[in-house]
């Protein structure tokens, strides 16, 4: 019976995060939608930035969950893991990025616009993801191993 409850929790959390991630992605993309299909698609970029920051924060939460109250429970790990794959995966639009980049490459505009579109999305989002992870690691490091806790 415990195995069935675990599977039911995993399934329900996955559906919850996936549906809510899709809705938030749609809402965020409508905040800053560009009217021209011949420029960098800023709404896709905005979605991907939000998703990368949330993935970095959730990844750090999984990494340092033993420092949190009730962080060792499997339910917390399932919820955070499904948040990363369900919500952030549905909210990000990297498939849309590839489609928009190919449309930009095939349009009668300079190819640098398509290159700029993919560079903004991939490089800046990867940089933000790493920045969030490193910031959390430094904060945890200095919180638990700072000068006031040293034996000097």
């Amino acid at each position: 019976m415990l195995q069935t409850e675990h599977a039911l929790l995993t399934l329900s959390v996955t559906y919850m995060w996936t549906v809510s991630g899709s809705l938030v992605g749609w809402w965020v993309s409508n905040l800053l939608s560009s009217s021209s299909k011949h420029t960098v698609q800023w709404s896709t970029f905005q979605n991907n930035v939000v998703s990368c920051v949330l993935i970095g924060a959730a990844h750090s939460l999984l990494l340092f969950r033993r420092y949190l109250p009730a962080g060792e429970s499997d339910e917390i790990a399932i919820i955070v893991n499904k948040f990363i794959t369900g919500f952030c995966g549905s909210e990000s639009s990297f498939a849309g990025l590839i489609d928009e980049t190919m449309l930009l490459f095939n349009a009668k505009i300079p190819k640098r616009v398509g290159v700029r579109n993919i560079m903004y999305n991939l490089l800046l989002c990867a940089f933000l993801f790493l920045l969030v992870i490193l910031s959390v690691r430094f904060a945890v490091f200095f919180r638990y191993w700072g000068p006031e806790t040293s034996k000097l």
Side-chain angles (χ1 to χ4, degrees):
M1 186 66 174
L2 186 59
Q3 185 96 11
T4 306
E5 290 175 359
H6 191 270
L8 185 62
L9 173 69
T10 303
L11 188 63
S12 62
V13 167
T14 302
Y15 286 138
M16 178 190 68
W17 286 130
T18 303
V19 170
S20 60
S22 298
L23 292 174
V24 168
W26 173 78
W27 180 72
V28 168
S29 68
N30 285 333
L31 284 178
L32 187 67
S33 61
S34 60
S35 59
S36 173
K37 289 292 181 188
H38 300 295
T39 63
V40 173
Q41 301 300 309
W42 294 111
S43 58
T44 302
F45 175 69
Q46 185 179 14
N47 259 345
N48 292 338
V49 164
V50 169
S51 181
C52 285
V53 168
L54 291 175
I55 289 172
H59 179 271
S60 299
L61 183 68
L62 270 180
L63 186 63
F64 296 111
R65 68 186 173 121
R66 69 172 182 237
Y67 297 114
L68 301 173
E72 293 293 327
S73 69
D74 289 338
E75 288 81 15
I76 298 295
I78 289 171
I79 290 171
V80 173
N81 193 9
K82 295 305 174 184
F83 173 78
I84 293 171
T85 58
F87 181 83
C88 296
S90 296
E91 194 253 334
S92 71
S93 54
F94 284 105
L97 164 69
I98 301 302
D99 179 51
E100 291 167 352
T101 303
M102 292 309 299
L103 288 174
L104 289 172
F105 277 137
N106 292 331
K108 303 237 184 269
I109 57 173
K111 301 295 183 211
R112 70 175 185 270
V113 176
V115 171
R116 192 171 56 204
N117 186 46
I118 203 157
M119 290 301 175
Y120 284 156
N121 278 279
L122 293 181
L123 295 180
L124 286 176
C125 288
F127 173 74
L128 284 173
F129 171 74
L130 293 174
L131 183 69
V132 168
I133 287 180
L134 291 175
S135 299
V136 170
R137 288 183 183 189
F138 280 128
V140 169
F141 178 78
F142 286 120
R143 166 70 174 92
Y144 289 101
W145 296 284
E148 60 273 355
T149 60
S150 66
K151 306 238 184 212
L152 296 176

